[in-house]
Amino acid sequence: EAVINIIPPEKVVEHNVFIKDKNASRPMLAAHRGGSLNNPENTLKAFKAAVNNYGNDIIESDIWLTKDEKIVFSHDKSIDRMSDVKLFDNTKKEHLISDYTLDELQNFNMGYGFKNKNNEYPYKDLVSVDQVGRKDVLKANDLQILEVEQLFNEYYVSKPDLLFIVEIKNGGEKGYKAANVLDDLLTNKYPNYKNNVVVGTFH
């Protein structure tokens, strides 16, 4: 036996923050990876531009679990495509997020691989491998790998209506842990964002 539509549809969507009022002046805007054509994807620089400059309503991205069980934004499981990690270690084909702690990941320039519309790499020479205060320079330019908590913290007070669509990319036990870390963040530190987040995964 089955019961279909036991809850009237209007009640289901009554408090769904992802559905705009029919009289809204425009559709919702979502920033895919923060807008990877304009800024280095998944960095705080990209998400700040998307929200502050372009008025995006929704942040969309993927998250991965680090070695020390933090969750960070990245489309790829490795940091090779966007960062300068190969300047530090070119012995491996892939440098996986899961092999590094958050602190270690923050040492890499996540703007290194970004190419703008003029086919230029504006952040490639931002910092040298042995530069003193390297992490500080990257942080000041919002080009470190971005922890999910850092983005929540950035907008929790100033943008309480900001929405998030995140895909957990890890599978198995790591994916389960990533889901728990995200839930713990929302439940215990950012409870007003809990209904602002849609979570998806292929696992």
Side-chain angles (χ1 to χ4, degrees):
E1 294 181 24
V3 178
I4 299 173
N5 205 22
I6 194 168
I7 302 172
E10 63 271 14
K11 293 295 182 184
V12 176
V13 302
E14 187 175 5
H15 300 293
N16 188 332
V17 293
F18 284 84
I19 297 176
K20 287 195 109 174
D21 182 272
K22 63 183 178 181
N23 298 316
S25 60
R26 64 170 176 81
M28 287 183 172
L29 301 176
H32 181 238
R33 305 183 203 173
S36 56
L37 292 179
N38 298 313
N39 288 285
E41 65 183 60
N42 292 312
T43 61
L44 188 55
K45 178 183 267 314
F47 290 128
K48 278 183 176 179
V51 175
N52 302 344
N53 300 345
Y54 305 121
N56 277 255
D57 306 286
I58 306 170
I59 294 297
E60 183 283 332
S61 194
D62 311 301
I63 61 175
W64 292 89
L65 193 70
T66 67
K67 186 177 181 179
D68 56 342
E69 298 187 339
K70 306 293 185 182
I71 44 177
V72 296
F73 289 106
S74 177
H75 176 266
D76 306 338
K77 63 183 177 181
S78 73
I79 56 171
D80 296 87
R81 181 173 59 87
M82 292 306 299
S83 85
D84 57 355
V85 65
K86 283 196 167 89
L87 298 180
F88 293 83
D89 175 18
N90 64 1
T91 63
K92 293 187 287 189
K93 182 180 179 182
E94 283 189 306
H95 298 81
L96 303 178
I97 289 170
S98 59
D99 288 341
Y100 294 89
T101 65
L102 176 64
D103 184 65
E104 290 168 338
L105 288 165
Q106 288 173 336
N107 192 52
F108 303 116
N109 177 7
M110 298 306 292
Y112 184 83
F114 170 70
K115 182 166 66 172
N116 65 21
K117 295 172 185 176
N118 297 320
N119 291 317
E120 302 163 334
Y121 292 84
Y123 308 109
K124 199 164 192 173
D125 299 319
L126 179 66
V127 285
S128 61
V129 169
D130 56 355
Q131 183 164 333
V132 176
R134 177 183 168 87
K135 278 187 181 178
D136 294 331
V137 174
L138 293 172
K139 184 176 181 179
N141 284 274
D142 296 325
L143 289 174
Q144 289 179 314
I145 200 164
L146 182 60
E147 186 182 10
V148 172
E149 181 172 4
Q150 186 181 355
L151 186 63
F152 284 168
N153 189 62
E154 178 73 26
Y155 287 113
Y156 192 62
V157 174
S158 63
K159 300 282 185 181
D161 297 326
L162 187 61
L163 304 176
F164 304 86
I165 298 173
V166 296
E167 180 186 332
I168 297 173
K169 297 293 279 283
N170 295 102
E173 287 300 314
K174 287 183 179 179
Y176 187 75
K177 180 63 182 180
N180 281 330
V181 172
L182 179 60
D183 181 64
D184 182 65
L185 271 179
L186 290 167
T187 301
N188 298 312
K189 290 190 175 182
Y190 305 96
N192 293 337
Y193 267 173
K194 192 155 191 178
N195 290 327
N196 291 25
V197 180
V198 167
V199 181
T201 182
F202 284 100
H203 306 286

